[in-house]
Amino acid sequence: AYEKNGSVYFGIRKFSGYGRLSKRKIDDLFSGVRIDPDPSKIDPLDFALWKSRKDDEPSWNSFFGEGRPGWHIECSAMANRFLGETIDIHGGGKDLIFPHHENEIAQSEALSGKQFARFWVHHGLLTIEGQKMSKSLGNFITLKDAISKYSSSVLKIVYLSNHYRSPLDFSQKSVQEAMRVKERVIVFLKQLNNRVKRIPSQYRNAKRDAFSYDDVRKLYDKFIEFMDDDFNMPGGFS
């Protein structure tokens, strides 16, 4: 890190692993990403750990004078305090891989010397009727309103019918299909419940292996296979 004009920046070229999450070389990271010019930076990709005070922003006292934490440092600080130096799973949208998650890794591992996250789970982005959600377009719906209108079960089916890495379009068509799937699930559960009731009680209360029909066991094992394959929920759900 280096200080310049009351701000503190992270020199990304001094961190040997920078770019490994996005699988890109440092010089290739400039393409397709908007980087605000900052004459205080040694390298345009360097990022702020601490920003000097501005009149229109909240600020706190520090060793470097008044200012505020940089955007990326918040997540590393919270993860370190509440989850430890190494966390099992870190999630987020694909749009956060670079620069946000790359910067989290750099600053966290430079401090601890340990792996920051063992697994990264990046989800696809959500659209509404084929369009990106936007306040200006007014095409967004809150989770509370969606549950009230469609039910939590229907929403779960919409999400679980799509692989988490893939983009998801929330539309009337996808909701209607989820409603049909929900009805099929309800019918199946009723049939299963009726079948279980006809099983003698001594078998119903026995160990799980005593209640393993071959066909059910095969379905269960197949479901686990799908889950072990990067949480392939569409396959598992089918």
Side-chain angles (χ1 to χ4, degrees):
Y2 58 92
E3 184 182 357
K4 198 78 177 287
N5 301 326
S7 295
V8 181
Y9 299 93
F10 187 101
I12 56 106
R13 293 183 188 272
K14 290 190 177 183
F15 180 72
S16 60
Y18 197 83
R20 71 171 182 261
L21 183 66
S22 52
K23 297 179 176 63
R24 296 169 69 186
K25 295 179 181 178
I26 289 177
D27 291 330
D28 295 335
L29 291 171
F30 286 98
S31 60
V33 178
R34 180 182 63 83
I35 299 175
D36 295 326
D38 187 342
S40 298
K41 294 181 181 180
I42 294 175
D43 187 294
L45 287 176
D46 291 350
F47 60 92
L49 300 170
W50 182 263
K51 289 194 172 186
S52 60
R53 179 181 179 274
K54 291 182 180 178
D55 291 337
D56 59 342
E57 294 178 350
S59 61
W60 293 265
N61 288 319
S62 76
F63 298 110
F64 320 104
E66 285 191 75
R68 64 172 177 84
W71 169 41
H72 311 290
I73 204 76
E74 300 170 3
C75 298
S76 289
M78 289 188 288
N80 184 278
R81 177 171 180 178
F82 297 107
L83 303 172
E85 292 176 321
T86 298
I87 59 180
D88 289 320
I89 302 174
H90 194 312
K94 283 184 175 180
D95 55 333
L96 295 179
I97 295 175
F98 177 80
H100 184 49
H101 289 162
E102 289 283 9
N103 293 350
E104 273 192 87
I105 292 172
Q107 64 198 6
S108 298
E109 295 186 2
L111 173 68
S112 70
K114 300 175 183 177
Q115 184 179 11
F116 176 52
R118 293 189 179 97
F119 295 95
W120 289 85
V121 177
H122 291 106
H123 61 79
L125 302 183
L126 179 68
T127 56
I128 304 291
E129 300 287 353
Q131 290 184 311
K132 184 178 178 180
M133 281 193 294
S134 168
K135 284 188 177 181
S136 60
L137 293 175
N139 66 340
F140 66 93
I141 182 172
T142 66
L143 188 59
K144 184 178 180 181
D145 289 343
I147 291 174
S148 175
K149 186 174 182 180
Y150 304 115
S151 86
S152 59
S153 298
V154 169
L155 283 186
K156 286 175 186 176
I157 293 170
V158 170
Y159 287 125
L160 295 177
S161 301
N162 200 71
H163 193 272
Y164 77 89
R165 289 190 189 273
S166 303
L168 172 65
D169 186 47
F170 189 85
S171 64
Q172 285 300 314
K173 182 179 178 181
S174 64
V175 169
Q176 288 168 2
E177 175 58 27
M179 288 177 173
R180 287 192 288 269
V181 172
K182 179 185 175 182
E183 290 304 314
R184 293 201 298 272
V185 170
I186 290 172
V187 170
F188 166 74
L189 290 175
K190 285 180 178 178
Q191 292 174 342
L192 184 65
N193 192 41
N194 290 334
R195 179 175 178 176
V196 169
K197 285 179 179 177
R198 291 197 297 270
I199 297 171
S201 59
Q202 64 265 34
Y203 296 112
R204 239 186 291 160
N205 300 324
K207 291 182 180 178
R208 187 184 68 180
D209 291 341
F211 183 58
S212 295
Y213 297 105
D214 287 341
D215 52 348
V216 174
R217 189 74 210 182
K218 286 175 184 176
L219 286 173
Y220 175 82
D221 291 341
K222 190 67 179 175
F223 176 80
I224 295 300
E225 274 185 45
F226 280 120
M227 291 299 93
D228 287 344
D229 180 19
D230 193 22
F231 299 113
N232 183 356
M233 199 60 224
F237 196 59
S238 66

